[in-house]
Amino acid sequence: VAMAATRSVMRAVRVFEFGGPEVLKLQSDVLVPVPKENQVLIRVHACGVNPVETYIRSGTYARKPTLPYTPGSDVAGVIESVGEHVTAFKKGDRVFTLETVSGGYAEYAVAAANRVFPLPDKLDFRQGAAIGVPYFTAYRALLQKGCAKAGESVLVHGASGGVGLAACQIARACGLKVLGTAGTEEGMNVILRNGAHQAFNHRDPNYTEEIKACTGPGGVDIIIEMLSNINLDADLQLLSCAGRVMVVGCRGRIEINPRDTMSKESSIIGVSLFLATEEERHECATAVLDGIEAGWLKPVVGLEYPLEKVAKAHEDIICSSGARGKMVLVL
């Protein structure tokens, strides 16, 4: 059966040169990849779109894949075939991934078996495609690097996107006081439905004053920051003593005064899921699967696009006026 599947061709998005969204080319004659040992082949039903994929595509990111390549890591679908030594999965299993070997913007994707997890029936494939990078990143930022403890407060900056909503749900489940920002009324409502105790509109010129009024003189213990090139300077003013800003996203440079960290002994900590150890990944996976089981981990799916509209998806994730959940490609 595996041989029959692997001889066929599929539709997949290919990038032959780095550049703008227009370099994403949908091809219909790409060979279906063959899973090697300890790998599985997944029939893709949905694939998440992450901001980092736009940075990689543009060629400005630290890690550059060898051209040509297929973007995408957060895949949800059904196991088509398994390579040698794979015992955890069989053909027909519903799964989601954290990363792929062959690229997720495609009808089929190969992934290492240890980066693939069972997708419970209570979540659909679009939700499955919204778990990987967002929830593992949020868990890493909050708990592995941010050392969040029950009773502390967290401000999630840009809370209505994939990572932001994941952070709100995880923080709420861990007993933190959760504050979130969004750019639209709709975004604020989404945050409040997904774990935030209070929401603020970061387009309001006085929103930082409102946050200060909410946290009191103590300040906020942890800030999860999706746009540090805009917010980092202001973040340092909002922190408590020994507070920490977790830098999850950045789109450029910013000027700050390091003295602001001295006055509160605060920290600025970068977060990269790519650098997680095997143990840390395993810890993230356990927490995520437990959260699905317990019912508090419910991915919110935002805009959906067919593969044909992948360039538009890449444009929208960077330029849209406000996120409302995780952006996905649906196959």
Side-chain angles (χ1 to χ4, degrees):
V1 175
M3 286 312 293
T6 53
R7 283 209 195 92
S8 53
V9 293
M10 63 172 181
R11 294 188 312 143
V13 174
R14 302 291 281 163
V15 174
F16 294 92
E17 58 178 329
F18 296 114
E22 70 281 352
V23 302
L24 298 161
K25 305 290 186 197
L26 180 58
Q27 313 237 283
S28 54
D29 57 353
V30 179
L31 285 175
V32 174
V34 184
K36 300 190 175 77
E37 62 176 351
N38 300 315
Q39 292 182 340
V40 298
L41 178 67
I42 300 166
R43 169 80 175 90
V44 178
H45 286 256
C47 181
V49 179
N50 296 295
V52 69
E53 287 145 24
T54 70
Y55 311 151
I56 293 170
R57 181 215 71 227
S58 70
T60 59
Y61 198 62
R63 300 199 316 278
K64 282 192 182 64
T66 309
L67 296 168
Y69 77 100
T70 294
S73 58
D74 293 334
V75 159
V78 174
I79 297 281
E80 179 72 24
S81 62
V82 301
E84 279 187 276
H85 312 310
V86 175
T87 54
F89 301 104
K90 61 184 188 309
K91 183 174 166 68
D93 287 350
R94 299 173 85 246
V95 294
F96 71 93
T97 64
L98 182 59
E99 60 187 69
T100 67
V101 176
S102 60
Y105 296 8
E107 290 177 324
Y108 291 90
V110 161
N114 66 352
R115 297 284 188 268
V116 175
F117 307 96
L119 179 64
D121 288 335
K122 61 171 84 168
L123 299 181
D124 63 31
F125 290 117
R126 299 165 323 149
Q127 289 174 303
I131 300 170
V133 169
Y135 281 87
F136 280 62
T137 300
Y139 184 88
R140 182 164 181 76
L142 269 169
L143 295 148
Q144 291 179 340
K145 294 292 168 189
C147 304
K149 294 179 188 64
E152 286 191 311
S153 57
V154 60
L155 169 64
V156 183
H157 238 318
S160 60
V163 179
L165 288 167
C168 288
Q169 291 177 2
I170 293 169
R172 184 65 179 251
C174 291
L176 280 85
K177 180 181 181 181
V178 186
L179 314 176
T181 75
T184 63
E185 195 69 36
E186 194 181 349
M188 288 165 70
N189 289 332
V190 171
I191 297 171
L192 291 169
R193 286 200 299 273
N194 284 280
H197 292 88
Q198 282 186 275
F200 304 88
N201 190 329
H202 55 64
R203 293 180 198 282
D204 181 337
N206 298 319
Y207 85 96
T208 52
E209 295 310 313
E210 290 171 20
I211 292 170
K212 282 178 186 166
C214 178
T215 59
V220 67
D221 298 306
I222 303 172
I223 298 177
I224 307 289
E225 185 51 76
M226 312 303 167
L227 205 58
S228 47
N229 53 299
I230 302 291
N231 301 320
L232 188 56
D233 187 47
D235 288 344
L236 295 176
Q237 323 295 323
L238 293 172
L239 286 177
S240 64
C241 273
R244 47 262 187 225
V245 180
M246 312 308 300
V247 178
V248 172
C250 183
R251 297 181 187 172
R253 303 175 73 86
I254 185 172
E255 190 173 309
I256 63 165
N257 183 350
R259 178 160 292 171
D260 292 335
T261 65
M262 295 159 63
S263 59
K264 295 174 179 172
E265 291 195 326
S266 55
S267 312
I268 301 167
I269 303 170
V271 179
S272 171
L273 188 55
F274 183 68
L275 296 175
T277 63
E278 254 343 288
E279 290 76 13
E280 287 171 331
R281 285 172 194 270
H282 182 71
E283 185 195 334
C284 286
T286 304
V288 163
L289 293 169
D290 285 352
I292 296 171
E293 188 61 37
W296 58 258
L297 194 157
K298 283 204 183 79
V300 179
V301 177
L303 295 168
E304 300 175 27
Y305 300 80
L307 271 187
E308 292 79 8
K309 295 271 169 60
V310 63
K312 180 87 174 95
H314 268 225
E315 209 171 294
D316 291 351
I317 200 166
I318 296 301
C319 304
S320 73
S321 61
R324 292 176 306 284
K326 174 73 181 173
M327 185 180 283
V328 296
L329 299 172
V330 180
L331 285 81

